Amino acid sequence: MNQRIQRLLEKVFRQDIFPEPVSIKCDPFEDRFAEPVRNAKRLTDYMLTQPVVIHDESELAGLIRFNATPVPADLFPRLGHNSFGEACSHYYRKPQENLCTFEWQHSNPDLAKVISSGLHGYIDEINKSRKKLVGKLEHLNFLTGLEIFIQGLEQRVEQYRACCIAKSEETTDPERKTALRRMARNLEQVPMHPARNFEEA
């Protein structure tokens, strides 16, 4: 274990390293949106409102808590999503394309696909699916929700990239400056584009 990891480990034992979640105020007009679009919009708004934190010892970006109200608690109440029963009938202990073997609200995403295609690859798939699903409003709303959230993730990644750049300009430690600039370069590539090496993956 190197010194940086040791310092990070000590920090984890001393304090909660996750930023305190910030609630958002939802626009009541969004209640008129189709459920997948509304959920994606609110989840994205929540995500983009959260503090951007990169600890001095860290070389990974992305710390966030999803337990503030009203979002996402109203999206995923303890009794479950209103379509959980239907989803369960299709996916519970029935893996499909290496995705969604789950119980309750836990699933195993196909990370290899994200690494090899990037989230822009998913946008391409969404657009191809739209062409096949013309006129099927429920399906199209679901695809729109996915696209909204992916676009939100892209904005969140940019928040972290900007934070890395700002921190690299503030630090006087040449080793840390190099690490932060490398992190910023990595975030220009992933997760939106395919990973080109182990570190990006």
Side-chain angles (χ1 to χ4, degrees):
M1 180 182 314
N2 66 30
Q3 291 180 348
R4 179 184 66 80
I5 299 294
Q6 181 64 43
R7 289 194 306 272
L8 186 57
L9 182 63
E10 289 167 5
K11 179 176 275 192
V12 168
F13 283 123
R14 276 194 326 268
Q15 69 187 67
D16 183 355
I17 65 168
F18 280 84
E20 195 62 33
V22 176
S23 295
I24 65 166
K25 185 168 176 60
C26 297
D27 184 343
F29 182 77
E30 293 170 1
D31 291 336
R32 299 170 183 259
F33 295 173
E35 183 186 28
V37 174
R38 180 179 66 245
N39 287 351
K41 168 80 168 59
R42 289 180 175 172
L43 195 53
T44 297
D45 289 348
Y46 174 87
M47 177 177 58
L48 295 176
T49 302
Q50 300 312 299
V52 175
V53 173
I54 299 174
H55 296 288
D56 290 339
E57 301 82 10
S58 183
E59 292 192 9
L60 294 173
L63 290 177
I64 190 170
R65 267 215 174 96
F66 284 97
N67 61 349
T69 55
V71 175
D74 61 338
L75 304 183
F76 303 107
R78 290 192 62 82
L79 295 178
H81 190 274
N82 62 11
S83 298
F84 177 76
E86 182 183 352
C88 191
S89 70
H90 295 290
Y91 296 107
Y92 181 66
R93 298 174 62 184
K94 299 173 188 170
Q96 296 182 25
E97 296 181 23
N98 202 23
L99 176 69
C100 248
T101 302
F102 75 103
E103 39 71 38
W104 193 224
Q105 292 176 352
H106 300 94
S107 60
N108 300 308
D110 187 351
L111 295 177
K113 183 175 179 179
V114 177
I115 290 168
S116 63
S117 70
L119 293 177
H120 281 171
Y122 280 83
I123 295 286
D124 292 341
E125 282 189 40
I126 288 168
N127 289 328
K128 287 176 188 170
S129 294
R130 279 192 175 113
K131 292 174 184 172
K132 297 176 189 172
L133 296 167
V134 173
K136 296 185 177 181
L137 189 58
E138 185 177 358
H139 294 80
L140 294 172
N141 285 332
F142 178 74
L143 294 172
T144 298
L146 292 177
E147 185 175 28
I148 288 169
F149 188 67
I150 290 171
Q151 290 168 346
L153 283 172
E154 186 166 24
Q155 292 174 61
R156 184 64 174 174
V157 169
E158 178 54 29
Q159 289 177 334
Y160 278 105
R161 193 187 72 76
C163 181
C164 289
I165 291 169
K167 283 181 165 285
S168 75
E169 292 169 354
E170 294 167 3
T171 187
T172 56
D173 178 352
E175 192 174 316
R176 184 61 181 161
K177 186 182 291 288
T178 299
L180 287 163
R181 287 180 176 168
R182 187 179 72 247
M183 289 168 67
R185 283 193 307 274
N186 288 345
L187 290 168
E188 285 177 6
Q189 182 68 25
V190 293
M192 302 315 297
H193 306 283
R196 299 168 298 190
N197 54 49
F198 179 79
E199 184 174 354
E200 287 179 355

